[in-house]
Amino acid sequence: MGLEKIHHLIRYIEDHYHEELSIEKLEDLSNYSYRNVQRIFKSIFNESIGAFQKRLKLENGYKKLIYSRQSITDIAYSVGFESLHSFSKSFKKQFQLSPEKARKEKEGIFEGFIKNTSEEKKTISYELVFLKQLKVFYLGAQAKDYELREIDQLWDRIDEAFDDYLNVQYYGIIVDQPLITEKIKCRYEACIDQDPQDQAFSSTYIFGARYAKYVHNGSFDLIEDTYRQIYKDWLFHAALEFDNTPMIEHYLKNEYHTENPEDYVTEILVPIKK
């Protein structure tokens, strides 16, 4: 199966994770029999399409529980479960706690991550923005808890395929929430807004929604500190209701604009519930 078809198939499953997936549709998207699609998918992701879809249901349900004020029953139906009971049973099996407890004790999910946040800065500022839909071209990988080594390898491959850096915009799609998703399954997509004319790249659309725009100044090595401030501010100060769609990083000023990492500027765009 070609790389572009694999990414197209994955994107379709991500967009329709809450629906019943038609075998005929999956075969049509891949031009392979369902048996071969399953075999190729499992060889790449080490899980079946069904397991991947169920994981997306539960992880998106978890994000909705902690990010939104939507009722647990409505969340269960919105992520594709037939009843609150079946959602609760699967959720507890996956995460070893009930949906009710996950929502009630959501601070505990972030406790270990934000505990080292500097007390000198109590809040972090943000700007609410609406961003128009944008077509981008990307390379993706499982980034093992978003470690920089795997992410840097993606950008190195972009360097090899694309020469005109100064007129390109660079984005990173943080596909999964690493505090929920198993670390080795966290996915990252390195994106540019111009077509590199390379078959290794796939295309997708980002934005077309409202975001809380935060700014990280300085090296990517320290970007987790800014995320800690964002989550701490959201938990205890801001009246924001986050959406469960991916966060996006816009590398506004990066290594192509300056040799000094301290001068890097990264916008962190957190989707806001409609």
Side-chain angles (χ1 to χ4, degrees):
M1 188 189 303
L3 188 62
E4 184 177 357
K5 285 192 175 293
I6 292 173
H7 286 301
H8 189 46
L9 181 66
I10 294 167
R11 189 70 66 189
Y12 177 81
I13 297 171
E14 288 174 333
D15 291 343
H16 299 271
Y17 73 87
H18 55 295
E19 303 172 3
E20 184 175 349
L21 295 178
S22 161
I23 291 177
E24 291 78 11
K25 181 65 175 180
L26 296 179
E27 289 181 334
D28 183 57
L29 288 169
S30 64
N31 288 330
Y32 275 76
S33 69
Y34 183 67
R35 182 177 179 180
N36 279 330
V37 172
Q38 282 279 27
R39 178 179 56 79
I40 294 167
F41 191 93
K42 191 165 186 178
S43 70
I44 295 172
F45 293 99
N46 200 31
E47 59 184 338
S48 68
I49 291 175
F52 179 70
Q53 182 189 16
K54 187 172 184 179
R55 180 165 64 81
L56 291 184
K57 288 181 179 182
L58 291 168
E59 290 175 359
N60 277 284
Y62 205 148
K63 285 189 280 187
K64 289 188 176 193
L65 284 168
I66 60 178
Y67 288 161
S68 78
R69 292 182 285 273
Q70 191 176 5
S71 76
I72 297 176
T73 299
D74 286 346
I75 289 172
Y77 288 117
S78 73
V79 297
F81 283 87
E82 296 181 352
S83 68
L84 174 60
H85 174 74
S86 61
F87 173 64
S88 298
K89 183 178 179 180
S90 295
F91 190 93
K92 191 168 185 178
K93 183 178 180 180
Q94 177 76 8
F95 300 112
Q96 289 75 57
L97 76 169
S98 68
E100 293 81 1
K101 189 170 184 180
R103 167 164 279 176
K104 184 177 180 181
E105 301 178 1
K106 68 179 183 180
E107 290 86 355
I109 301 168
F110 299 91
E111 183 179 7
F113 183 66
I114 66 175
K115 67 180 180 181
N116 295 323
T117 307
S118 172
E119 291 297 327
E120 297 177 6
K121 190 173 182 180
K122 298 294 184 182
T123 60
I124 184 172
S125 61
Y126 62 87
E127 176 186 359
L128 290 178
V129 296
F130 178 86
L131 298 173
K132 294 181 179 179
Q133 189 178 76
L134 175 69
K135 186 176 184 178
V136 293
F137 304 85
Y138 71 94
L139 297 172
Q142 290 182 327
K144 297 180 182 178
D145 198 23
Y146 298 109
E147 292 181 359
L148 289 178
R149 181 173 59 84
E150 284 84 1
I151 292 173
D152 286 343
Q153 288 175 354
L154 290 180
W155 290 109
D156 287 344
R157 290 170 61 192
I158 289 177
D159 287 349
E160 295 171 1
F162 204 74
D163 296 324
D164 185 13
Y165 303 117
L166 293 180
N167 296 316
V168 177
Q169 294 297 312
Y170 302 86
Y171 302 91
I173 302 178
I174 314 301
V175 181
D176 301 294
Q177 164 51 269
L179 299 179
I180 294 174
T181 301
E182 186 180 351
K183 294 185 184 303
I184 63 170
K185 293 180 179 177
C186 289
R187 291 165 297 149
Y188 174 88
E189 294 171 352
C191 311
I192 52 179
D193 69 341
Q194 295 188 30
D195 189 350
Q197 301 295 321
D198 188 317
Q199 292 185 350
F201 286 73
S202 296
S203 63
T204 189
Y205 289 89
I206 58 175
F207 301 142
R210 293 174 65 240
Y211 292 83
K213 182 175 72 176
Y214 298 86
V215 177
H216 168 73
N217 293 293
S219 168
F220 299 135
D221 293 334
L222 302 175
I223 200 167
E224 277 199 355
D225 292 341
T226 299
Y227 275 100
R228 290 186 181 96
Q229 290 286 353
I230 290 171
Y231 284 123
K232 186 174 181 180
D233 185 61
W234 163 69
L235 281 169
F236 303 114
H237 302 287
L240 293 174
E241 195 170 354
F242 289 173
D243 192 42
N244 61 300
T245 53
M247 295 185 184
I248 299 174
E249 296 175 350
H250 179 197
Y251 309 115
L252 200 62
K253 190 174 182 180
N254 53 48
E255 61 188 286
Y256 304 121
H257 306 97
T258 177
E259 294 182 357
N260 187 357
E262 293 182 3
D263 294 329
Y264 291 175
V265 178
T266 304
E267 294 177 343
I268 299 174
L269 296 151
V270 183
I272 302 301
K273 195 172 187 303
K274 297 176 183 179

